[in-house]
């Protein structure tokens, strides 16, 4: 595997020098963060990122993410302009040596949590999702001034109500059709540039506020891969996003899609599944509901040798910073994943 680590640029409290010191670290996962969604990234910005990463002795291989404009997801007439911009971004990052682009097709809200600093029994804090807290927030109610972590802060309350109402008028099939239209435009460009597109599952993998969400389970991933049956059209297998539902067998899915050669990126995160939601936990299998060894073994046994990153860590040892993206627990997670991979590799010989 190629161990990777997400970095949010120069403003990230976690520095490239910090990341470089994690044993076995290969690649940085990053993006251009100062360009509005839907616009073209400058070659200068991409080149600056590449130089920063490579000067730190790491590889510039993975972009997470090039965001998909809402007009594309909604199927508006303006989508063609934004899709062409997206294709140009694929070309530009490919010129810089990028091999994989992670993205998502989630309506309005990216990942959604109800709390970023829930204290666990050991005193660490983590991201959690409790359904009763979600139920208190309705973006369509004019008197609701509550928000949830993960929401796009660029929307005013009225704008948020408007865009949610647009999605509420859509069916899941409408969203599928808009996704297919998008893929039919971008995958030929990705294939020409030899860049693997890796869609991220909806997080969490169920509908919120009645919005259509479609990248949620094995049946839907099968459907997704058939929309454009090209090896460059693949998935980011996110153990936590899929694993927060007991309906998903993550190890089975890892084996299936790795054998197909359609897993281009892996996010390894452990979660404790609850009756009313889930809590993010330490990467160790015994700390949550997921069998991390079984997932890693399924990947290895079925030929996956791509990019893996420790996803979302707790805040431990008094660290402060971007919730889920501190240094210490993700570094522990990286070391744990390295150990699992080496043990599996050794046992297979």
């Amino acid at each position: 595997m190629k161990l990777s680590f997400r970095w949010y640029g120069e403003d990230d409290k976690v520095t490239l020098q910090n990341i470089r010191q994690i044993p076995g670290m290969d690649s940085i996962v990053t993006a251009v963060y100062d360009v509005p969604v839907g616009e073209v990234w400058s070659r200068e910005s991409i080149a600056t990122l590449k130089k920063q990463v490579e000067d730190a002795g790491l590889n510039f291989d993975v972009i997470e993410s090039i965001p998909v404009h809402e007009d594309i997801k909604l199927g508006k007439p303006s989508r063609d302009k934004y899709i062409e911009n997206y294709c140009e971004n694929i070309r530009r990052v490919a010129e810089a040596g990028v091999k994989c682009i992670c993205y998502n097709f989630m309506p309005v809200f990216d990942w959604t949590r109800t709390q970023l600093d829930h204290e666990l029994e050991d005193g660490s804090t983590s991201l959690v999702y409790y359904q009763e807290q979600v139920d208190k927030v309705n973006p369509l109610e004019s008197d609701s001034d509550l928000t949830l972590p993960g929401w796009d802060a660029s929307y005013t309350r009225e704008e948020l109500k408007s865009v949610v109402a647009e999605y509420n008028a859509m069916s899941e099939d409408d969203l599928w059709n808009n996704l297919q239209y998008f893929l039919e435009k971008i995958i030929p460009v990705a294939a020409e540039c030899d860049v693997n597109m890796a869609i991220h599952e909806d997080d969490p993998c169920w509908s919120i506020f009645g919005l259509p969400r479609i990248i949620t389970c094995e049946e839907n991933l099968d459907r997704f891969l058939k929309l454009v049956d090209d090896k460059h059209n693949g998935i980011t297998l996110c153990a936590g996003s899929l694993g927060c539902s007991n309906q998903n067998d993550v190890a089975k899915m890892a084996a299936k899609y790795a054998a197909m050669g359609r897993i281009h990126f892996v996010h390894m995160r452990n979660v404790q599944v609850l009756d009313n939601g889930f809590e993010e936990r330490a990467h160790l299998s015994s700390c949550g509901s997921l069998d991390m060894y079984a997932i890693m073994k399924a990947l290895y046994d079925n030929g996956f040798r791509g990019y893996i990153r420790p996803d979302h860590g707790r805040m431990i040892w008094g660290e402060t910073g971007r919730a889920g993206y501190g240094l210490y627990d993700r570094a522990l997670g990286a070391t744990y994943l390295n150990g699992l991979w080496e043990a599996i590799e050794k046992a297979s010989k």
Side-chain angles (χ1 to χ4, degrees):
M1 70 168 177
K2 298 174 183 175
L3 191 63
S4 62
F5 209 84
R6 190 155 191 188
W7 178 63
Y8 282 94
E10 293 179 322
D11 294 335
D12 198 327
K13 287 187 175 182
V14 180
T15 69
L16 290 170
Q17 289 303 318
N18 294 151
I19 299 168
R20 183 183 183 181
Q21 295 169 38
I22 301 170
M25 192 54 61
D26 179 87
S27 298
I28 289 296
V29 178
T30 190
V32 173
Y33 294 107
D34 59 356
V35 175
V37 173
E39 299 303 315
V40 176
W41 294 358
S42 73
R43 287 186 170 87
E44 292 75 18
S45 294
I46 297 168
T48 297
L49 270 181
K50 179 181 174 70
K51 186 176 188 305
Q52 290 172 320
V53 169
E54 293 182 346
D55 283 354
L58 297 159
N59 291 315
F60 182 68
D61 292 338
V62 185
I63 290 293
E64 183 182 344
S65 64
I66 302 177
V68 179
H69 196 278
E70 294 298 334
D71 287 8
I72 298 174
K73 302 173 197 174
L74 287 164
K76 291 187 173 182
S78 55
R79 65 180 170 179
D80 287 330
K81 173 185 70 174
Y82 291 118
I83 291 174
E84 181 47 47
N85 288 350
Y86 203 100
C87 290
E88 182 59 22
N89 281 329
I90 294 174
R91 296 183 188 102
R92 292 190 178 194
V93 298
E95 290 171 4
V98 167
K99 303 299 182 187
C100 178
I101 297 172
C102 174
Y103 68 102
N104 73 71
F105 215 74
M106 288 182 254
V108 190
F109 311 112
D110 199 333
W111 56 274
T112 298
R113 300 291 184 273
T114 59
Q115 199 174 336
L116 301 180
D117 58 354
H118 174 75
E119 186 168 333
L120 300 174
E121 289 184 3
D122 62 5
S124 63
T125 60
S126 75
L127 285 68
V128 299
Y129 179 104
Y130 300 137
Q131 189 60 48
E132 65 270 18
Q133 293 177 337
V134 174
D135 292 341
K136 293 178 181 178
V137 184
N138 186 339
L140 295 181
E141 292 182 0
S142 60
D143 60 350
S144 175
D145 59 358
L146 300 174
T147 61
L148 292 175
W151 287 21
D152 186 343
S154 67
Y155 286 114
T156 66
R157 190 195 311 177
E158 291 306 312
E159 289 170 340
L160 184 62
K161 287 170 56 180
S162 176
V163 72
V164 169
E166 287 185 87
Y167 276 111
N168 284 157
M170 289 174 55
S171 67
E172 285 194 358
D173 279 338
D174 291 332
L175 190 59
W176 277 112
N177 290 336
N178 294 341
L179 176 55
Q180 181 168 2
Y181 185 92
F182 174 65
L183 292 173
E184 287 174 348
K185 300 287 187 179
I186 69 162
I187 296 302
V189 176
E192 180 182 333
C193 297
D194 198 21
V195 170
N196 289 323
M197 300 300 300
I199 198 168
H200 190 289
E201 295 82 16
D202 297 341
D203 185 10
C205 56
W206 52 72
S207 177
I208 300 174
F209 306 125
L211 298 172
R213 291 171 82 107
I214 56 179
I215 310 299
T216 56
C217 60
E218 183 177 354
E219 178 184 358
N220 286 12
L221 285 171
D222 288 346
R223 178 174 176 176
F224 166 77
L225 293 174
K226 291 175 183 175
L227 292 178
V228 177
D229 193 8
D230 184 290
K231 67 178 183 178
H232 297 89
N233 179 36
I235 66 174
T236 295
L237 184 85
C238 181
S241 296
L242 291 168
C244 63
S245 168
N246 283 325
Q247 302 301 310
N248 288 327
D249 185 335
V250 182
K252 176 190 173 188
M253 296 161 80
K256 176 179 178 176
Y257 298 121
M260 294 169 61
R262 302 294 279 275
I263 298 177
H264 300 319
F265 192 22
V266 175
H267 291 180
M268 286 297 284
R269 163 166 45 101
N270 202 358
V271 294
Q272 181 65 48
V273 179
L274 309 170
D275 290 339
N276 65 332
F278 61 90
E279 298 172 352
E280 297 189 1
R281 297 289 183 86
H283 284 76
L284 196 70
S285 293
S286 59
C287 292
S289 300
L290 302 185
D291 187 336
M292 304 290 273
Y293 176 86
I295 297 168
M296 294 286 278
K297 190 172 189 304
L299 291 167
Y300 182 91
D301 288 349
N302 289 279
F304 176 81
R305 299 295 184 271
Y307 303 98
I308 293 181
R309 73 168 175 84
D311 191 26
H312 295 188
R314 302 163 298 145
M315 284 300 186
I316 62 174
W317 304 334
E319 185 178 19
T320 60
R322 183 186 291 267
Y325 287 97
L327 171 63
Y328 304 144
D329 199 39
R330 284 191 297 156
L332 289 177
T335 301
Y336 178 58
L337 297 178
N338 251 337
L340 286 180
W341 193 266
E342 289 184 354
I344 293 165
E345 194 171 38
K346 184 176 180 180
S348 70
K349 292 179 180 178

